[in-house]
Amino acid sequence: MRKEPLCYCGVSTDLKMSRIPTNPGRRFLGYQRYEIGEGCGFFRWVDPAIEEEHYKTLLAAHIKKSDRCHCQRRQGRSKFRVAAIIIVVVVVLMLAIMFFV
């Protein structure tokens, strides 16, 4: 069982992936709340740097496309949840009307 190192606060670190054009796809260990700028600032690269600009460009484009697809899926799930909630409310109201009339 592999354990990630602890940050300077003694909290377990999260494995994350860089999404910036200068280090696309490069994995790093960071404080659990790294994205919102809180914590001790622990940071350590896991993967070596990519030297070839061509590969950086390809990876950055792939990550951008992947993020766009992920966002679209999330929006689709939100629409589904709203529709499901509306259906449940309508069914509950119909059952209430049937039993109380």
Side-chain angles (χ1 to χ4, degrees), residues 11-53:
V11 177
S12 64
T13 57
D14 284 345
L15 183 64
K16 303 174 188 292
M17 184 178 71
S18 171
R19 291 178 141 53
I20 60 172
T22 53
N23 288 299
R26 192 173 176 194
R27 296 176 305 158
F28 64 94
L29 293 169
Y31 184 76
Q32 290 180 355
R33 295 182 165 195
Y34 177 82
E35 289 89 5
I36 57 175
E38 290 185 4
C40 62
F42 179 85
F43 177 91
R44 182 182 303 157
W45 288 115
V46 173
D47 296 328
I50 299 171
E51 301 298 328
E52 298 279 337
E53 287 302 316

Side-chain angles (χ1 to χ4, degrees), residues 33-92:
R33 295 182 165 195
Y34 177 82
E35 289 89 5
I36 57 175
E38 290 185 4
C40 62
F42 179 85
F43 177 91
R44 182 182 303 157
W45 288 115
V46 173
D47 296 328
I50 299 171
E51 301 298 328
E52 298 279 337
E53 287 302 316
H54 174 71
Y55 293 119
K56 283 184 182 182
T57 304
L58 287 174
L59 275 171
H62 178 70
I63 289 169
K64 189 174 181 178
K65 183 178 179 182
S66 174
D67 288 347
R68 192 170 46 247
C69 290
H70 179 71
C71 184
Q72 289 171 348
R73 274 196 311 269
R74 195 173 334 138
Q75 288 173 348
R77 279 188 251 139
S78 295
K79 290 177 184 176
F80 176 77
R81 286 185 186 133
V82 169
I85 290 169
I86 291 171
I87 290 169
V88 167
V89 168
V90 168
V91 168
V92 168

